[in-house]
Amino acid sequence: GEQEGTCGMGIVTLTGHLGAMGTVASLLADRLGYRLFGRELVIEAGAALGWSPEQAAAFDERTGGFSRRVADFLDRLALSQVDVSDVVSAFAMTYSDAAAIGVPAGDRYFTELKRQMEALAEEGDVVIVGRGGQAILAGRPDAIHIRIACPVDERARRVAARDGSGLEAAQAQVKHSDHEREAWHQRYVGIEYRS
């Protein structure tokens, strides 16, 4: 028998949309006695490229660039009850279109993120949250991949409570985050985020 708190696996990846995770990652890492990495990977990958934490956060599971500006603009218009159909057709670029164009800085960031994640996996006894870990480490027999699911309305309620924002703003934030994560995973790791 193994000691309590261990289960013989070296790597756990967790993924879930904004507002779904709650305290699952920290509870799991504590229970297993594993190190926990999520946003720390973002900061470390950016630092290796000479970026500030804020610059690195700009590429954290987001496609950034034009799609980000369009989405932010449309969200502001939507909240002001303006009919945006003509604006959408005028921009004529989806999140996936923007992700397909690519951003060289984002490519450099992803390469470094992947390198650091693979180094952590080699060390073992680690819980990695998000950042495409389920795809980057998919071929490792010592890894288990878990997706945390939660209804979108509950996720918005959690985000509103966490940020002290209104429910409508939290719903827009959740929707925007979902689009960004889906485009990021398609662009950088070639998977459907919901799969």
Side-chain angles (χ1 to χ4, degrees), residues 8-195:
M9 61 186 165
I11 305 154
V12 179
T13 69
L14 294 175
T15 188
H17 284 98
L18 177 66
M21 194 73 59
T23 59
V24 170
S26 59
L27 290 172
L28 180 63
D30 286 346
R31 176 76 172 111
L32 295 174
Y34 284 10
R35 295 166 300 144
L36 176 63
F37 287 88
R39 293 203 180 276
E40 300 84 356
L41 276 168
V42 173
I43 294 168
E44 290 176 18
L49 298 173
W51 297 354
S52 70
E54 294 76 20
Q55 288 170 314
F59 293 97
D60 181 27
E61 293 194 346
R62 299 176 176 99
T63 55
F66 185 75
S67 69
R68 165 66 51 91
R69 291 192 303 275
V70 171
D72 289 346
F73 177 69
L74 294 178
D75 286 344
R76 286 194 304 273
L77 284 177
L79 289 173
S80 64
Q81 308 300 314
V82 174
D83 178 21
V84 299
S85 59
D86 291 335
V87 178
V88 172
S89 61
F91 279 111
M93 180 178 280
T94 66
Y95 284 92
S96 57
D97 292 335
I101 291 170
V103 180
D107 291 342
R108 290 194 308 274
Y109 164 75
F110 177 74
T111 298
E112 181 58 29
L113 179 73
K114 183 178 180 215
R115 187 191 70 73
Q116 294 207 13
M117 193 177 294
E118 288 169 342
L120 285 172
E122 283 301 312
E123 294 170 10
D125 293 346
V126 64
V127 174
I128 297 173
V129 179
R131 284 88 205 164
Q134 74 275 28
I136 293 169
L137 304 175
R140 294 191 62 110
D142 55 347
I144 185 169
H145 310 286
I146 301 169
R147 179 172 183 253
I148 308 296
C150 183
V152 68
D153 290 345
E154 176 60 22
R155 293 192 293 121
R157 281 193 288 277
R158 291 177 182 185
V159 169
R162 181 196 70 193
D163 296 347
S165 62
L167 187 57
E168 190 173 318
Q171 288 168 333
Q173 184 180 358
V174 164
K175 181 180 175 184
H176 180 68
S177 173
D178 288 358
H179 285 299
E180 288 287 355
R181 287 178 193 222
E182 288 158 14
W184 189 93
H185 283 77
Q186 186 73 302
R187 163 79 173 92
Y188 290 107
V189 293
I191 65 168
E192 294 293 327
Y193 187 66
R194 295 172 190 260
S195 66

